[in-house]
Amino acid sequence: MRRALVLAAALLAGCAPTAQSYGEQLFNDPQFAGSKFNAWSCATCHAVRSGDARILTGHPMPGLFQRSATWGGALPRPIDAASFCYVAFMRGPGALSPDEPHSKALSAYLQSLPAAAPSGPLPFTVVANVVDVAPGDAVRGKAVYQQACQACHGEPHTGNGRNSTLATILPDVQDDYASVFPGVKPTLVFVEKIRHGQFLGIGGNMPPFSQEVLSDDDLGALLGYLGVR
């Protein structure tokens, strides 16, 4: 509430750069959602600069407002996509309104990023029915882990550096799978969690990795590095 009032005063004063600055702060702030159980910000899943080496679940933000739709075409407006992430992943209390001061500030920041030629929605293919993936090259898998997993889950086996105690420690969490997922291969559980995130009854707070951002080859390499069998 305090942030919204501060921004509203700035907007009334005609301080557009302040709106952009505040929007950038919100983009990088896990507390934007107001939940003590959330450790994610928009920046956790979305890049704003070229050359970002992370493997992220979300598409980069530059050019967002030049796309005809978001979430692979499922949602028509950026505010719809922001609301979905805000509620489903960041534990926000409800959908964002485009008229709210913090929504306007976030929009101002994202529109200040480099523009792009108008385009259709960027592809985001979620695997409908997952299948087991054979473990692959562990050397490549280490790089995949560092680029895609470590920011949230921390270092393997210890969890050092993870962004929340709610994030599971990999790959040790598989020790619980025999009782939680009886009769299911640990590799298949990992694939299910990575491809479907928290959805389809898997639980947790993780978004899905689409085929476009994480190939089956990279997924297999990750399993090989973690020693999941």
Side-chain angles (χ1 to χ4, degrees):
M1 177 63 73
R2 182 179 62 84
R3 286 178 179 163
L5 292 174
V6 170
L7 178 62
L11 291 174
L12 289 173
C15 301
T18 301
Q20 292 179 14
S21 176
Y22 183 68
E24 182 176 10
Q25 176 187 337
L26 293 175
F27 187 85
N28 290 279
D29 185 6
Q31 292 307 308
F32 172 32
S35 171
K36 65 180 180 180
F37 300 107
N38 175 58
W40 294 23
S41 69
C42 306
T44 304
C45 296
H46 297 279
V48 295
R49 297 176 179 84
S50 62
D52 193 322
R54 296 175 297 164
I55 298 174
L56 301 173
T57 55
H59 284 302
M61 291 290 94
L64 171 65
F65 285 84
Q66 284 73 51
R67 299 169 198 158
S68 61
T70 62
W71 271 94
L75 298 174
R77 303 177 301 169
I79 187 66
D80 301 319
S83 289
F84 182 83
C85 294
Y86 182 71
V87 174
F89 304 123
M90 298 172 65
R91 303 176 186 267
L96 297 169
S97 166
D99 298 323
E100 293 169 338
H102 53 269
S103 296
K104 290 183 176 180
L106 189 60
S107 176
Y109 168 62
L110 294 175
Q111 291 191 68
S112 75
L113 299 175
S119 69
L122 299 181
F124 191 89
T125 304
V126 176
V127 180
N129 298 298
V130 301
V131 295
D132 200 6
V133 175
D137 177 46
V139 175
R140 171 58 188 154
K142 180 178 181 179
V144 172
Y145 186 87
Q146 291 171 338
Q147 292 173 291
C149 312
Q150 190 158 321
C152 289
H153 292 277
E155 296 177 2
H157 301 295
T158 66
N160 290 340
R162 58 182 170 160
N163 68 352
S164 169
T165 56
L166 297 174
T168 55
I169 296 176
L170 303 177
D172 302 58
V173 67
Q174 69 178 309
D175 295 342
D176 300 327
Y177 287 174
S179 58
V180 179
F181 305 101
V184 181
K185 285 182 63 179
T187 52
L188 188 56
V189 178
F190 266 74
V191 172
E192 179 76 68
K193 285 179 172 288
I194 290 168
R195 287 302 188 206
H196 289 157
Q198 64 167 300
F199 301 109
L200 300 182
I202 295 301
N205 211 42
M206 180 173 163
F209 279 86
S210 69
Q211 288 183 314
E212 286 79 16
V213 300
L214 190 70
S215 68
D216 278 347
D217 285 343
D218 280 348
L219 180 50
L222 176 62
L223 296 175
Y225 169 65
L226 292 175
V228 183
R229 294 289 185 267

